[in-house]
């Protein structure tokens, strides 16, 4: 059948041979016909769309020009040496510039000949030029000025060996010629007709050689859907298998402590979203299932309280619970918050961090083992082997993106039956996407803020206007409010950051002098105790301004603080900015976030700042973030299998992802073993994918 042809080594393809074959392998990682077929164009040139030189008016967009070469010269010397090619069309002149590969590029241009040029113009001294454009000589028959031409990635070395985009295209043309009836369908008729998908073979042909945008769209939808569908099938199957294999602690009891706390000790009404989430969690815990749940909720949505309720449920059922936070400050804050909530109940709560004294540690260890200690709150210190529980039933992890998979696994081992896991994150992303990225987790979402919060007003101010920002701070302080001023922390240059922070502190001290004003400073170089002390002074209202590096990013709760000034805001990522902004707006007063930058901003930085000014919605912000950075960065060390997508894009193809996930779920609930005859092709393809990548997707 098909496999043999697609498994054929690339050098056997007509027109390729051993030399190009070697380049395909070493430069483009293409070893077989099948891999070549999956080497998709990264864009298409619409030959019918030509720009005129005189119409170029911004350096935002790439342009396509049909030009004649009028001059070719090498200019500059040494490292500044470049190849300058002057071209013109009927409307004007333009310079093409090449800094690299001058020697082999130069002979490709001939004066008087016609070329098709594609690239991003840059303005220099009121003239536009294009650096390193794609270009191709137009001869009588090589370029039809109609239809869509695929463009493939290549490398300099491959290009020299004849495998530029055009060379790859030729090889693919040859392959497409040979494949009819060699590409089997892998989806069921039902799915294909339900979604009106292109047939697989047709999709492959049209993704490489579309005759129209319509064909291209249909082909790309089909291939993206297929990619997501099999990814989802694997994720869901894996999860089901795990659920079958691992049972969880049963939290059966109705819960005296839970009920007492719920009815008599919460100073406010839970939001509907909080109630719903508590219900979702209780359902897991009463079902013998092992809970592995991600709790998404915007900053300030009240996740901590939800987690406390769940911890009480654990205690009601004879278990212990722990809460792990990424920083000492945050852990400490959780400790105080929870201690305060529980002050009239007899629940043992203690704090364990890197700076806990040895004598205190020994007490904690002993009480954990005797069971006297019910809730342990802390940092990574909780993971140490000496920390042994009598009967740990629940682990809560705050701010999940800081903890890796390995650390989660370590917590699992703290009891013979692994404790339930509740992971809380304030970086919300769309549900389907979260399910894909954290395939083994169930998701709960708190999509509602407690009532009475006024949306934070966000402003962008240039450094030049700092004095007016100071004036604004002064007014707010006069009204009894407090202000954060945050500086970026860049790991590579701690010394420099420190200097920025200290310079800032000095100018603030001059503008807001003692004794009328008091300023706290918190930065990474301070001892934990000193940080804590300063933080507490600010929290108690003894100081009006807190100058800090991003150590205050997560969790800190000072409801009276109403202004967050972020210095060099362009240096922060979107989710960091959103986290920081979430430090204010926690009380009844109108709060403000001021983003300070200088005039020079990259396009991405501009988008980040504009997004922050425009919206307070964490989901919206997370989506923009995802588009700017791509899922890889957001995940860090998370499972790379999910990111190894050939055509689908987790950030942009969210709707296709949802539809693929729905279909996969439908299939597995109708036919859990994928054993039905009409799903045979799905089963076969899935097992061939799994065989190819056996280690794929071990998530926790
Ligand atoms: P998160 O951890 O989700 O950022 P927190 O749990 O720190 O949010 O809650 C923020 C603040 O809102 C806390 O002071 C908390 O006590 C308060 N809070 C939580 N739930 C409610 C509610 N339902 N109504 C009013 N205030 C609430
Ligand atoms: Mg929190």
């Amino acid at each position: 059948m098909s496999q043999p042809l697609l498994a054929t080594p690339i050098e056997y393809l007509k027109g390729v041979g051993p030399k190009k074959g070697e380049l395909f392998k070493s430069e483009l990682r293409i070893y077989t016909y099948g891999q070549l077929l999956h080497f998709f164009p990264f864009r298409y040139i619409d030959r019918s769309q030509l720009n005129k030189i005189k119409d170029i008016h911004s350096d935002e967009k790439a342009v396509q020009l049909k030009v004649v070469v009028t001059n070719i010269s090498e200019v500059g010397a040494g490292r500044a040496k470049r190849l300058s090619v002057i071209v013109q069309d009927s409307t004007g002149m333009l310079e093409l510039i090449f800094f690299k590969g001058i020697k082999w590029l130069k002979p490709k241009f001939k004066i008087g000949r016609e070329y098709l040029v594609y690239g991003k113009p840059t303005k220099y001294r009121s003239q536009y030029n294009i650096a390193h454009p794609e270009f191709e000589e137009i001869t009588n028959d090589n370029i039809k000025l109609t239809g869509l031409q695929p463009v493939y990635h290549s490398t300099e070395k491959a290009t020299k060996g004849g495998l530029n985009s055009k060379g790859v295209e030729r090889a693919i043309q040859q392959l497409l010629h040979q494949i009819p009836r060699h590409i089997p369908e892998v989806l069921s008729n039902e799915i294909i007709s339900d979604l009106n998908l292109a047939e697989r073979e047709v999709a492959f042909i049209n993704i490489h050689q579309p005759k129209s945008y319509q064909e291209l769209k249909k082909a790309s939808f089909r291939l993206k859907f297929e990619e997501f569908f099999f990814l989802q099938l694997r994720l869901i199957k894996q999860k089901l298998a795990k659920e079958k294999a691992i049972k969880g602690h049963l939290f059966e009891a109705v819960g005296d402590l839970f009920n007492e706390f719920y009815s008599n000790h919460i100073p406010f009404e839970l939001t509907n979203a909080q109630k719903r989430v508590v219900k979702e969690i209780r359902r897991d815990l009463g079902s013998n299932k092992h809970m592995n749940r991600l709790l998404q909720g915007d900053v300030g949505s009240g996740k901590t309280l939800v987690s406390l309720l769940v911890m009480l449920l654990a205690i009601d059922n004879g278990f212990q619970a722990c809460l792990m936070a990424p920083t000492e400050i945050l852990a400490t804050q959780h400790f105080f918050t929870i201690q305060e909530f529980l002050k009239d109940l007899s629940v043992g709560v203690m704090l364990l961090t890197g700076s806990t004294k040895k004598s205190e540690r020994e007490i904690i260890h002993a009480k954990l083992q005797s069971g006297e200690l019910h809730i342990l709150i802390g940092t990574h210190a909780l993971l140490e082997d000496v920390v042994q529980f009598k009967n740990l039933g629940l682990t809560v992890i705050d701010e999940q993106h800081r903890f890796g998979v390995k650390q989660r696994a370590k917590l699992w081992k703290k009891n013979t039956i692994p404790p339930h896991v509740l992971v809380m994150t304030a970086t919300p992303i769309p549900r389907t996407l979260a399910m894909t990225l954290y395939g083994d987790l169930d998701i709960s979402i708190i999509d509602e803020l407690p009532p009475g919060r006024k949306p934070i007003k966000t402003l962008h101010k240039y450094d030049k206007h700092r004095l007016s920002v100071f004036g604004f701070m002064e007014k707010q302080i006069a009204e009894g409010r407090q202000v954060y001023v945050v500086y970026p922390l860049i790991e590579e240059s701690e010394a420099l950051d420190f200097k920025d922070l200290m310079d800032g502190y000095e100018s603030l001290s001059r503008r807001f002098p003692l004794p009328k004003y008091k300023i706290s400073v918190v930065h990474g170089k301070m001892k934990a105790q000193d940080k804590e002390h300063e933080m507490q002074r600010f929290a108690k209202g003894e100081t009006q301004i807190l100058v800090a590096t991003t150590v205050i990013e997560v969790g800190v709760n000072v409801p009276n603080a109403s202004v967050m000034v972020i210095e060099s805001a362009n240096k922060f990522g979107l989710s960091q900015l959103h986290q920081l902004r979430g430090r204010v707006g926690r009380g009844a007063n109108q709060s403000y976030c001021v983003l300070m930058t200088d005039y020079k901003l990259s396009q991405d930085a501009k988008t980040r700042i504009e997004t922050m000014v425009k919206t307070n919605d964490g989901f919206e912000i997370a989506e923009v973030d995802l588009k700017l950075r791509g899922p890889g960065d957001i995940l860090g060390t998370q499972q790379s299998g999910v990111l190894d997508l050939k055509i689908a894009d987790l950030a942009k193809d969210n709707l296709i992802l949802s539809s693929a996930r729905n279909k996969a779920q439908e299939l597995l609930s109708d036919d859990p073993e994928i054993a039905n005859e009409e799903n045979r092709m799905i089963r076969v393809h899935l097992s061939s994918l799994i065989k190819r990548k056996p280690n794929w997707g071990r998530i926790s």
Side-chain angles (χ1 to χ4, degrees), residues 413-432:
K413 298 198 184 103
K414 297 267 176 195
N415 202 343
T416 28
I417 295 179
H420 294 296
V421 178
L422 182 66
V423 179
M424 306 194 287
T425 175
T427 312
I429 51 176
R431 184 189 288 267
T432 323

Side-chain angles (χ1 to χ4, degrees), residues 491-643:
E491 270 149 37
E492 305 93 71
S493 165
E494 228 176 89
L496 210 71
D497 294 331
F498 185 66
K499 186 176 174 300
D500 277 359
L501 175 96
M502 281 323 199
D503 289 352
Y505 170 63
E506 263 170 38
S507 71
L508 277 166
S509 309
R510 259 177 270 125
R511 179 65 174 72
F512 297 95
L514 285 163
K516 186 170 177 200
Y517 298 101
K518 294 187 191 65
I519 305 180
S520 286
V521 189
V522 175
H523 58 78
K525 288 192 172 175
M526 287 163 75
K527 284 209 198 95
Q529 278 152 303
D530 298 341
K531 278 190 219 170
E532 187 51 44
H533 178 74
E534 283 300 306
M535 288 296 312
Q536 286 309 326
R537 287 207 318 146
F538 185 71
K540 285 186 206 142
E542 292 169 13
T543 57
Q544 297 97 336
I545 301 176
L546 174 65
V547 182
T549 44
T550 41
V551 285
I552 60 156
E553 184 181 331
V554 275
V556 182
N557 193 18
V558 181
N560 189 50
S562 66
V563 183
M564 167 65 67
V565 178
I566 305 178
E567 294 285 348
S568 305
N570 51 306
K571 292 192 184 160
F572 290 84
L574 260 179
S575 78
Q576 258 182 322
L577 289 172
H578 184 57
Q579 282 281 339
L580 284 171
R581 179 169 58 183
R583 297 307 106 210
V584 295
R586 303 191 145 226
N589 306 296
Q590 176 62 55
S591 290
Y592 305 86
C593 175
V594 185
L595 306 172
M596 305 291 303
T597 72
D598 60 20
Y599 283 108
K600 237 181 157 179
L601 289 176
S602 71
Q603 194 55 44
D604 276 10
K606 242 185 241 165
T607 308
R608 290 197 295 270
I609 305 271
E610 278 163 13
T611 305
M612 287 297 293
V613 170
K614 193 180 84 188
T615 181
N616 274 302
D617 180 343
F619 277 91
E620 204 177 324
I621 289 169
E623 281 197 56
V624 175
D625 196 26
L626 196 67
K627 281 183 186 144
L628 288 180
R629 293 197 295 156
D633 277 340
I634 292 179
L635 287 177
T637 61
Q638 295 270 333
Q639 63 279 25
S640 58
V642 174
L643 300 171

Side-chain angles (χ1 to χ4, degrees), residues 268-271 274 297-305 334 341 398 450-451 453 555 557 559 583 586:
F268 36 69
E269 173 91 0
L270 289 193
T271 62
Q274 283 172 315
D298 219 331
V299 195
S301 60
K303 297 182 291 294
T304 312
L305 184 64
H334 276 319
F341 269 129
D398 197 6
R453 300 254 171 94
N557 193 18
R583 297 307 106 210
R586 303 191 145 226

